[in-house]
């Protein structure tokens, strides 16, 4: 009996709110140090090393998987003040992000592709839907009695988020007209100067034409070999990539609109729960949404600036890890407050 009680107490201490929060903070600090120390590319040609890219996916996917577990724990508990459906939506969002990260890592690291659209986008899209749904349920369950300055702050943050989203999603022609990007440099074709007369006898025309033909044949033969060496993806992956690429603009636009919508909802939740009993957990949820907005906007901006050649793993993408950690900490804090409040009510009734 004593061993059973000791095991239960040990397991409860390992799953306590303080232990889980400390574990999340340690994971976030380790991820930050990893990104800070190793996010510098080796060279412009080589880019980031493979082991570093794998490490970034481990930190990101591990954080989202852990956040999904604690959110599902809240969903299974009937004592959550915010409601079980709220945490079901957030937990599904974390789980979909985890699955999408794994799929995107396979496409990028194993197949060596940088697709505009991949199967991972199906789960990314689903994560936005369930996240927005869960947070909308949280907003509608509480009456937003905001003051004038709070409405003004909400409107200002919404305007800022929309402006940044337009700047990221705007075509290059719009940016040039609005002065947000330098005008594209036009290629100037100049006539080559006549070659200087070399001393000695020039090579015969027949020999030069033979050399050019031989060089062209060599290049034509080596080109397919180089392409085969670079591309590791099977045929069905390449065919799927071609079929999904026409939907890239619409999907990216949905991401940007979803980011802005999440930013507005998170701000409303932060203002609504500020100073309340459960304000700590929803402050973490709002900070998680802000982190997701920063990381996602930076990723899309870099990807558009480099015309699809951008390799993921830059320093600011550590905010993806921060977002998952903050979602998880918010779930842990609400679970702890909800269970403690119920225990205190039971003790008062017993007394």
């Amino acid at each position: 009996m004593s061993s059973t009680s000791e095991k239960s107490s040990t397991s409860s201490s390992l799953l306590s709110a303080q232990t889980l929060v400390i574990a999340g903070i340690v994971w976030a600090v380790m991820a930050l140090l990893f990104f800070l120390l190793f996010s510098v590319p080796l060279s412009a040609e080589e880019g980031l090393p493979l082991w570093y890219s794998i490490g970034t996916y481990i930190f990101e996917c591990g954080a989202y998987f852990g956040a999904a577990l604690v959110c599902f724990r809240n969903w299974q508990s009937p004592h959550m003040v915010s409601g079980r459906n709220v945490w079901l939506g957030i937990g599904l969002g974390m789980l979909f992000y985890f699955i999408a990260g794994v799929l995107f890592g396979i496409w990028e690291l194993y197949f060596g592709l940088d697709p505009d659209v991949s199967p991972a986008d199906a789960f990314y899209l689903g994560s936005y839907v369930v996240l927005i749904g869960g947070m909308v349920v949280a907003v509608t369950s509480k009456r937003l009695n905001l003051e004038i300055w709070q409405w003004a702050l909400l409107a200002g943050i919404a305007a800022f988020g929309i402006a940044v989203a337009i700047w990221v999603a705007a075509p290059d022609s719009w940016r040039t007209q609005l002065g947000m990007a330098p005008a594209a440099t036009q290629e100037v074709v100049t006539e080559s100067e006549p070659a200087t007369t070399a001393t000695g006898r020039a090579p015969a025309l027949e020999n030069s034409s033979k050399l050019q033909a031989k060089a062209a044949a060599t290049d034509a033969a080596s080109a397919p070999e180089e392409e085969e060496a670079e591309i590791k993806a099977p045929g069905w992956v390449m065919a799927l990539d071609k079929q999904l690429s026409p939907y890239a603009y619409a999907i990216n636009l949905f991401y940007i609109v979803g980011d802005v919508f999440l930013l507005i909802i998170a701000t409303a939740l932060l203002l609504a729960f500020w100073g309340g009993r459960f304000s700590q957990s929803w402050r973490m949820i709002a900070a998680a949404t802000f982190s997701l907005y920063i990381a996602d906007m930076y990723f899309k901006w870099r990807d558009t600036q480099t015309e699809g050649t951008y390799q993921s793993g830059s320093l600011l993408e550590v905010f993806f890890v921060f977002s998952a950690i903050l979602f998880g900490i918010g779930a842990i804090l609400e679970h702890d407050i909800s269970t403690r409040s119920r225990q205190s009510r039971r003790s008062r009734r017993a007394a």
Side-chain angles (χ1 to χ4, degrees):
M1 294 294 292
S2 60
S3 61
T4 305
S5 61
E6 289 177 359
K7 289 181 180 179
S8 61
S9 62
T10 303
S11 61
S12 61
S13 63
L14 290 176
L15 295 177
S16 64
Q18 183 178 3
T19 304
L20 293 176
V21 170
I22 292 175
I25 294 174
V26 170
W27 189 269
V29 172
M30 290 173 58
L32 179 60
L33 292 175
F34 185 79
F35 276 79
L36 281 172
L37 295 175
F38 307 113
S39 61
V40 179
L42 298 176
S43 64
E45 294 79 11
E46 296 180 4
L48 296 170
L50 179 61
W51 60 267
Y52 170 77
S53 300
I54 295 174
T56 59
Y57 278 104
I58 291 175
F59 276 110
E60 183 178 335
C61 294
Y64 278 109
F65 184 73
L69 291 180
V70 293
C71 289
F72 285 142
R73 184 181 67 164
N74 287 8
W75 168 58
Q76 292 179 348
S77 175
H79 310 310
M80 294 298 104
V81 177
S82 299
R84 297 177 59 189
N85 292 331
V86 173
W87 294 107
L88 175 61
I90 298 177
L92 287 175
M94 299 296 100
L95 180 62
F96 287 169
Y97 251 96
F98 166 73
I99 298 174
V102 173
L103 291 176
F104 193 80
I106 293 173
W107 250 249
E108 183 182 29
L109 302 180
Y110 183 74
F111 291 143
L113 298 177
D114 186 18
D116 296 328
V117 183
S118 68
D121 288 281
F123 291 94
Y124 281 130
L125 292 173
S127 67
Y128 275 85
V129 173
V130 292
L131 268 178
I132 291 174
M135 297 180 73
V136 166
V137 171
V139 171
T140 54
S141 63
K142 304 294 181 182
R143 294 181 180 179
L144 291 179
N145 297 322
L146 303 182
E147 299 180 2
I148 297 177
W149 70 270
Q150 292 176 325
W151 283 111
L153 179 62
L154 180 61
I157 292 177
F160 173 77
I162 293 172
V164 173
I166 292 175
W167 178 58
V168 172
D172 293 337
S173 59
W174 292 11
R175 296 179 184 176
T176 303
Q177 292 177 1
L178 295 175
M180 294 188 296
T185 57
Q186 298 180 354
E187 295 182 357
V188 180
V189 181
T190 57
E191 295 182 358
S192 59
E193 296 181 357
T196 56
T197 305
T199 58
R201 188 177 67 178
L205 293 177
E206 294 180 358
N207 294 335
S208 62
S209 62
K210 289 180 181 179
L211 291 173
Q212 293 176 358
K214 185 177 181 181
T218 304
D219 294 339
S222 60
E225 295 178 357
E226 293 179 356
E227 292 180 357
E228 291 178 358
E230 294 177 356
I231 299 176
K232 301 178 182 179
W236 66 270
V237 173
M238 302 301 297
L240 183 62
D241 186 26
K242 292 180 181 179
Q243 291 178 357
L244 295 177
S245 59
Y247 304 100
Y249 180 78
I251 291 177
N252 287 328
L253 185 62
F254 178 86
Y255 287 150
I256 292 172
V257 174
D259 286 330
V260 174
F261 201 69
L262 281 174
L263 184 66
I264 295 172
I265 297 177
T267 306
L269 284 171
L270 182 62
L271 296 174
F273 287 96
W274 190 268
R277 185 180 181 184
F278 297 93
S279 60
Q280 292 182 354
S281 60
W282 286 103
R283 287 177 191 174
M284 296 297 105
I285 299 298
T289 309
F290 295 150
S291 299
L292 180 62
Y293 178 84
I294 293 171
D296 211 15
M297 287 296 167
Y298 174 76
F299 178 80
K300 288 176 175 55
W301 176 74
R302 284 294 304 269
D303 190 50
T304 54
Q305 291 294 313
T306 53
E307 298 180 355
T309 60
Y310 172 64
Q311 184 181 1
S312 59
S314 294
L315 177 59
L316 286 183
E317 291 183 26
V318 73
F319 279 93
F320 282 121
V321 182
F322 292 166
S323 176
I325 295 295
L326 290 169
F327 272 117
I329 291 177
I332 294 168
L333 292 178
E334 174 148 338
H335 184 274
D336 181 60
I337 294 173
S338 299
T339 53
R340 281 194 291 110
S341 62
R342 185 171 180 82
Q343 290 175 359
S344 63
R345 287 197 300 268
R346 287 181 177 178
S347 62
R348 285 198 300 267
R349 289 176 183 176

